[in-house]
């Protein structure tokens, strides 16, 4: 009886080891559920046809033609190593085309794009702008917090009308506030109590260039009616004729502003005051101020001892220079000229890129000045900056510096020329080019 499913006879062992009469390998007929996965594709090396030993008795002839039937299967991978090292060829530089580096891409690692320099530059520029803004804003609030807004111009009564441009009353006081005994001795300031005005100037900043007008401390002026800055009490006018610096000594900055406005008719917009100690510290912070002194002079009271010629003055020497008056024939008038010259040089040498962009010079300079500056309550950093640059412009081609016009003296006090003062104030109020000449 034949028990084979395909009704064949004979010994089953004959079917194994000798091949099959069918064109399809027996293994494929016996196991139809097995599926071969195609070999992974290598991008630069074409699939290699496996080399097999010659077909002989006992070998499976399914590898004879690379697959089923007579057509080769290009996706079949036998796993037979023929000695071919994949990835070793295909590139002119000797690197394989199938590895991480290709032969024709210049050696760039695949999957790592070239740097986007345009994007990096934009990102760097944005970062720089953010940093600059952050530093600028923080510096602004730091500097603003240091201003001593102690003078209330709202207490000044019967004020003249404002004109064009901005008028600053700049006062150098002999205040010794914050100075040690050693500093007072070194700077020859003495130890007098309170404070008095050592210099007074009006700086007009307008469209026709800045004008700096010195008001001699010995100027003969009338004290008008005023309201006490501390008491609030009204003091009527008594026709008193005094030196200008006496107004400050009597009731401080508010009465000084009131007296200047009454005797000139010029509206004062802002008030700025600096003491001895702050003045010297500013000069030292910027490394000194270079001046050309035309003639040698000495003064025991101020400590001045200067030779003629160009020289750099430190804080101590600078204070002696602006305080000296007894060494000059013109006394206070000559001193005010030196004060104008020095302040213009100080402003010019401070407002330079080497100072502004150098934090190691900028912050000490600002700190030294702002710590000792006393300003009015409406003074902003912007207005203070404009004053500073207007002071620098005094020495420029459009700037003017002068003393208040003087017509004579009375009891040792300097009398202003009323006609010239009136003309000068009109030109300032109308923001015209100043043509009036001072002493």
């Amino acid at each position: 009886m034949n028990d084979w499913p395909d009704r064949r006879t004979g010994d089953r062992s004959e079917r194994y080891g000798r091949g099959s009469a069918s064109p399809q390998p027996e293994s494929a007929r016996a196991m139809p559920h097995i599926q071969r996965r195609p070999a992974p594709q290598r991008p630069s090396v074409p699939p290699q046809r496996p080399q097999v030993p010659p077909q002989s008795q006992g070998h499976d002839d399914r590898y004879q033609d690379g697959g089923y039937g007579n057509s080769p299967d290009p996706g079949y991978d036998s796993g037979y190593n023929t000695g071919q090292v994949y990835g070793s060829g295909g590139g002119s530089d000797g690197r394989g085309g199938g590895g991480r580096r290709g032969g024709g891409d210049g050696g760039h690692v695949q999957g790592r794009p070239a740097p986007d320099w345009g994007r990096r530059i934009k990102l760097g520029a944005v970062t720089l702008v953010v940093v600059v803004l952050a530093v600028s804003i923080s510096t602004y609030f730091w500097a603003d917090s240091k201003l001593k807004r102690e003078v209330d111009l709202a207490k000044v009564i019967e004020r003249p009308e404002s004109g064009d441009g901005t008028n600053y009353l700049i006062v150098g006081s002999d205040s010794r506030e914050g100075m040690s005994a050693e500093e007072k001795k070194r700077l020859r300031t003495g130890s007098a109590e309170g404070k008095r005005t050592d210099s007074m100037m009006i700086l007009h900043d307008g469209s026709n260039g800045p004008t700096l007008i010195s008001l001699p401390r010995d100027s003969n002026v009338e004290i008008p009616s005023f309201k006490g800055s501390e008491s609030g009490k009204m003091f009527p006018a008594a026709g008193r004729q005094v030196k200008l610096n006496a107004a400050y000594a009597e009731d401080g900055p508010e009465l000084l502003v009131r007296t200047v406005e009454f005797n000139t008719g010029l509206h004062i917009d802002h008030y700025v005051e600096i003491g001895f100690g702050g003045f010297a510290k500013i000069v030292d912070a910027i490394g000194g101020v270079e001046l050309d002194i035309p003639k040698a002079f000495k003064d025991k009271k101020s400590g001045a001892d200067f030779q003629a010629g160009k020289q750099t003055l430190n804080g101590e020497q600078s204070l002696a220079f602006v305080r000296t008056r007894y060494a000059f024939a013109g006394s206070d008038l000559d001193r005010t000229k030196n004060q104008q010259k020095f302040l213009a040089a100080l402003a010019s040498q401070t407002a330079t890129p080497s100072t502004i962009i150098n934090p190691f010079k900028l912050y000490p300079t600002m700190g030294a000045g702002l710590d000792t500056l006393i300003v009015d309550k409406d003074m902003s950093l912007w207005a203070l900056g404009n004053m500073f640059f207007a002071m620098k412009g005094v020495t420029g081609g459009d700037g003017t510096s002068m003393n208040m016009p003087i017509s004579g003296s009375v009891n040792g006090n300097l009398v202003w020329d009323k006609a010239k003062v009136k003309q000068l104030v009109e030109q300032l109020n109308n923001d015209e080019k100043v043509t009036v000449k001072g002493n």
Side-chain angles (χ1 to χ4, degrees):
M1 180 176 179
N2 188 350
D3 56 356
W4 296 96
D6 55 0
R7 298 181 183 179
R8 296 174 185 172
T9 61
D11 189 357
R12 286 180 296 174
S13 63
E14 295 178 357
R15 299 290 184 106
Y16 299 93
R18 297 193 303 271
S20 171
S22 171
Q24 185 178 19
E26 181 181 356
S27 59
R29 296 195 309 274
M31 295 179 289
H33 62 283
I34 296 177
Q35 299 181 359
R36 296 177 177 85
R37 291 181 297 179
Q41 296 296 321
R42 294 177 173 83
S44 61
V45 179
Q48 300 293 327
R49 183 173 181 177
Q51 303 294 324
V52 299
Q55 184 72 26
S56 62
Q57 185 77 11
H59 289 82
D60 193 342
D61 61 356
R62 59 185 172 178
Y63 299 104
Q64 180 69 27
D65 54 7
Y68 305 129
N70 294 322
S71 60
D73 180 5
Y76 180 78
D77 182 10
S78 68
Y80 188 86
N81 188 353
T82 64
Q84 171 92 18
V85 179
Y86 293 104
S88 64
S92 61
D93 60 355
R95 293 192 292 265
R100 287 178 58 83
R101 296 182 180 272
D105 63 353
H108 289 295
V109 178
Q110 294 182 359
R112 184 181 299 174
D116 188 348
W117 290 108
R119 182 174 178 274
R120 291 186 180 186
I121 292 174
K122 291 180 180 178
L123 182 61
V126 170
T127 303
L128 179 61
V129 170
V130 171
V131 170
V132 170
L133 286 176
V135 172
S136 300
I137 293 172
S138 61
T139 299
Y140 177 90
F141 285 105
W142 167 78
D144 188 73
S145 67
K146 283 185 167 292
L147 280 179
K148 297 179 179 180
R149 296 182 174 93
E150 299 177 359
V151 179
D152 189 359
L153 296 183
K155 295 179 180 179
V156 180
I157 63 173
E158 301 177 13
R159 309 192 67 188
E161 294 291 332
S162 297
D164 295 332
T166 304
N167 299 315
Y168 301 85
L169 180 59
I170 304 173
V171 175
S173 76
D174 64 359
S175 172
R176 296 147 178 90
E177 183 179 354
M179 296 176 63
S180 65
E182 182 181 351
E183 288 175 327
K184 292 177 183 178
K185 181 179 180 180
R186 178 173 59 87
L187 298 177
R188 297 174 179 263
T189 63
S191 300
E193 296 296 329
K195 58 182 181 179
R196 288 154 293 278
T197 52
D198 205 57
S199 61
M200 292 159 285
M201 303 179 186
I202 294 174
L203 174 65
H204 174 81
D205 184 21
S207 58
N208 276 294
T211 301
L212 184 62
I213 307 165
S214 288
L215 310 176
R217 58 180 289 180
D218 294 338
S219 297
N220 192 79
V221 295
E222 179 182 343
I223 298 292
S225 60
F226 67 97
K227 182 179 180 180
S229 59
E230 297 295 334
S231 65
K233 180 182 176 181
M234 290 296 302
F235 293 88
R240 291 184 293 141
Q241 302 287 319
V242 297
K243 292 182 179 181
L244 181 58
N245 66 341
Y248 182 96
E250 185 172 335
D251 198 51
E254 288 84 1
L255 180 55
L256 178 61
V257 172
R258 167 72 172 135
T259 303
V260 169
E261 289 186 342
F262 176 81
N263 285 271
T264 62
L266 188 67
H267 181 91
I268 300 299
D269 298 292
H270 292 293
Y271 177 90
V272 181
E273 177 185 327
I274 187 168
F276 282 164
F279 181 83
K281 288 178 181 177
I282 292 175
V283 175
D284 287 335
I286 65 170
V289 174
E290 185 180 56
L291 277 183
D292 187 1
I293 299 177
K295 186 178 180 181
F297 65 90
K298 288 184 179 182
D299 182 15
K300 290 183 179 180
K301 290 190 176 182
S302 67
D305 186 2
F306 297 103
Q307 299 298 317
K310 287 187 177 181
Q311 49 204 287
T312 300
L313 278 58
N314 60 23
E316 178 182 350
Q317 294 169 324
S318 299
L319 190 57
F321 181 82
V322 299
R323 293 180 62 203
T324 298
R325 63 171 175 166
Y326 294 107
F328 307 126
S331 186
D332 203 34
L333 289 177
D334 286 342
R335 178 172 69 167
T336 56
K337 293 176 182 178
N338 279 345
Q339 290 172 346
Q340 291 176 351
K341 180 179 181 179
F342 183 86
L343 289 179
L346 174 63
S348 179
Q349 294 174 39
T350 302
T352 60
S354 62
T355 298
I356 295 175
I357 67 176
N358 183 355
F360 297 103
K361 291 186 69 174
L362 176 63
Y363 284 94
T365 302
M366 291 181 65
L370 296 174
D371 278 340
T372 55
L373 277 183
I374 296 176
V375 298
D376 63 273
K377 292 183 180 297
D378 295 327
M379 175 71 83
S380 65
L381 280 178
W382 180 260
L384 188 62
N386 285 340
M387 184 203 79
F388 185 78
F389 281 97
M391 182 74 74
K392 177 182 178 181
V394 168
T395 57
D398 295 330
T400 301
S401 62
M402 58 184 290
N403 278 319
M404 187 64 79
I406 304 297
S407 61
S409 63
V410 56
N411 298 325
N413 298 341
L414 300 173
V415 178
W416 293 352
D417 188 321
K418 292 184 178 180
K420 288 186 177 181
V421 169
K422 182 179 179 181
Q423 183 183 2
L424 172 63
V425 170
E426 287 179 353
Q427 291 177 343
L428 295 178
N429 280 333
N430 296 328
D431 203 15
E432 299 172 353
K433 186 70 176 178
V434 173
T435 60
V436 177
K437 302 297 182 182
N439 296 79

